[in-house]
Amino acid sequence: MTAVGHPTQTPPQNRTKFVTVLIGFIILFVLLDQTPSLLASYDLTAGFLLASVVLVVAAVGSDMLLFGRALPSAWRNLGFGRPEARTLLVTTLVGVLVMGFFPVFSWVTGASFALPDRWLWVLIGLFALHGIAEEVLFRGFAFHNLRAGRTFGRAASLSVLLFAVAHLYLLTYMPVTLALFATVLSLASAYPFAYLFERGNNTIWAPAVLHTQVHAISFFVVSE
């Protein structure tokens, strides 16, 4: 795993920073969750694109305000940098193999499968929301800020706790089953996506690719 070399912090500083990250994360999470609805009746992908832009701008501003970073430093801290090429390549290949299940399944069983109308436009929206926006929030803002002064396992575990707290908000308006599924998916992916973030030179690109591919599975339509 790539060494990050974060400075050591005392326990009181760590606790204060955790509370700061928690508050900032919850505010950004609610913002990300509510923004797509502004354009949902017009075009859901347009809503996803808007949400991604709003989240990135808000996350950069929050990182600068809460942690005293300059713009270039905040931008880099949130995961916008040059990825480690091998990690990105392997992650992409894994995603391609996962997506390849559908044509193989169709060939073996004779079942047909179809893509949604304007599937490329839909995929762009998924990448904007789940790939860029959520990875900036989950890995860049939450995990990466918690990682300073902590081991990988400790930071990842705290990010799981933080995600669980924030996802309780989904229970206020989503069906319980759907909200729980979203929460479990977020918690289950926390460790592997954090590893990809750190292994990929502390950038969002590798987890963003895999995160998008996980959600892209849902738009395949397979006949009975």
Side-chain angles (χ1 to χ4, degrees):
M1 185 181 297
T2 304
V4 178
H6 292 292
T8 302
Q9 295 177 320
T10 62
Q13 289 176 315
N14 276 342
R15 287 193 291 269
T16 300
K17 190 168 188 178
F18 174 75
V19 173
T20 302
V21 173
L22 174 62
I23 294 172
F25 179 85
I26 291 175
I27 293 172
L28 292 171
F29 182 86
V30 174
L31 180 66
L32 177 63
D33 183 69
Q34 291 299 310
T35 303
S37 62
L38 298 176
L39 294 176
S41 59
Y42 169 69
D43 186 325
L44 188 58
T45 293
F48 286 176
L49 291 170
L50 174 64
S52 182
V53 172
V54 170
L55 186 281
V56 170
V57 172
V60 170
S62 298
D63 206 67
M64 294 172 64
L65 178 65
L66 295 175
F67 304 110
R69 295 188 178 98
L71 177 58
S73 179
W75 184 257
R76 180 67 180 83
N77 185 69
L78 292 173
F80 291 104
R82 178 177 296 179
E84 198 273 323
R86 184 171 60 178
T87 301
L88 182 59
L89 176 61
V90 171
T91 303
T92 302
L93 290 176
V94 169
V96 169
L97 290 174
V98 171
M99 303 302 286
F101 163 81
F102 292 94
V104 172
F105 178 80
S106 177
W107 176 70
V108 171
T109 65
S112 61
F113 75 95
L115 295 170
D117 294 337
R118 302 194 302 163
W119 66 269
L120 183 57
W121 180 239
V122 175
L123 185 61
I124 290 172
L126 292 178
F127 180 71
L129 184 72
H130 300 296
I132 295 179
E134 290 190 357
E135 285 307 313
V136 165
L137 177 58
F138 292 177
R139 253 56 66 180
F141 184 83
F143 168 75
H144 201 199
N145 280 317
L146 291 172
R147 179 71 167 94
R150 297 183 177 90
T151 63
F152 173 86
R154 177 67 172 169
S157 297
L158 286 174
S159 71
V160 168
L161 175 62
L162 191 147
F163 300 161
V165 171
H167 277 75
L168 293 175
Y169 161 75
L170 300 181
L171 293 171
T172 63
Y173 70 94
M174 275 188 180
V176 174
T177 302
L178 185 58
L180 290 177
F181 176 78
T183 302
V184 170
L185 181 61
S186 174
L187 301 185
S189 63
Y191 284 91
F193 284 5
Y195 173 80
L196 288 175
F197 177 89
E198 191 160 296
R199 185 67 179 82
N201 197 28
N202 291 322
T203 64
I204 63 169
W205 306 117
V209 167
L210 194 57
H211 201 155
T212 301
Q213 289 164 328
V214 168
H215 283 273
I217 292 174
S218 65
F219 70 46
F220 282 94
V221 179
V222 182
S223 68
E224 292 184 7

